[in-house]
Amino acid sequence: MSCVKAQRWSPPPDGILKINTDGSFRKTSHTGGWGFTIRNTEGNLIAAGAGNLEYVSDALHAEAQAMLHAAIIASQMGCQSVMFETDSALLKQAVTTDDYNLSSLASMFREIKFHLRVGFNDVKVVFCPRACNGAAHSLAAHGVTMEVGHYETWLGQFPEFVKDVVAGDVSSMLS
């Protein structure tokens, strides 16, 4: 079942972990948040994270921070075969091509590419509609509300609000 058809999260192929990332940007204050989930083919949550951002230039910057944090955590966890999903077509293009090598965020894109290249044996970055990225979106919104510069990563044991946003995605895939 594809995400577009279900309008919710869809499972990755067997043997692949799906990492959904999202960033949130507040233009008036140049702040934001990031969030990510890591799930297996059954939809079981392996890890999640959320954090606050300050000094954010734009929405793409927040999206890139989300992917960078997720890539670092997933690599440290020893994940090997992964699929990153982002609802930012620009971010997907920036980390899978050389099109943004001269942009103001080029150094961040290079850092993400580096972590993707050395941190995983098999990695794919794909675009997904926002409707298919609900849990990561909710975690990014949570990151906005956190204290400046703070973040949380959950492994194995998850707060109820994290379980709830993930359960909303997975339950729709079962219907």
Side-chain angles (χ1 to χ4, degrees):
M1 172 184 298
S2 74
C3 173
V4 175
K5 191 174 187 181
Q7 290 300 302
R8 293 286 187 206
W9 184 88
S10 61
D14 285 341
I16 308 268
L17 294 175
K18 185 182 276 190
I19 304 171
N20 286 78
T21 67
D22 199 23
S24 179
F25 173 63
R26 287 189 172 168
K27 186 176 183 174
T28 55
S29 60
H30 286 276
T31 60
W34 55 267
F36 74 87
T37 60
I38 303 175
R39 292 184 259 186
N40 64 18
T41 54
E42 290 81 38
N44 296 322
L45 190 61
I46 307 298
N52 182 275
L53 297 170
E54 57 181 336
Y55 311 117
V56 183
S57 59
D58 56 24
L60 182 57
H61 188 184
E63 295 280 356
Q65 286 280 4
M67 186 172 282
L68 179 59
H69 284 282
I72 290 169
I73 295 298
S75 174
Q76 289 173 344
M77 290 173 55
C79 300
Q80 294 300 308
S81 297
V82 297
M83 174 190 296
F84 282 84
E85 274 194 344
T86 175
D87 58 19
S88 171
L90 290 176
L91 179 61
K92 181 203 180 268
Q93 185 177 7
V95 301
T96 59
T97 70
D98 293 332
D99 294 352
Y100 288 76
N101 284 357
L102 299 176
S103 75
S104 61
L105 295 172
S107 63
M108 178 168 281
F109 299 141
R110 279 192 298 274
E111 186 174 0
I112 293 168
K113 290 176 186 181
F114 172 79
H115 284 285
L116 296 180
R117 190 173 51 252
V118 302
F120 308 101
N121 289 338
D122 181 27
V123 63
K124 185 174 184 180
V125 178
V126 297
F127 169 80
C128 69
R130 177 169 283 171
C132 302
N133 209 27
H137 180 76
S138 294
L139 290 171
H142 173 71
V144 170
T145 68
M146 296 172 76
E147 288 185 46
V148 172
H150 281 76
Y151 68 92
E152 294 181 83
T153 303
W154 303 283
L155 307 168
Q157 294 197 351
F158 306 97
E160 285 304 313
F161 83 93
V162 174
K163 291 179 193 176
D164 290 345
V165 297
V166 170
D169 277 352
V170 175
S171 66
S172 66
M173 112 183 173
L174 301 175
S175 357

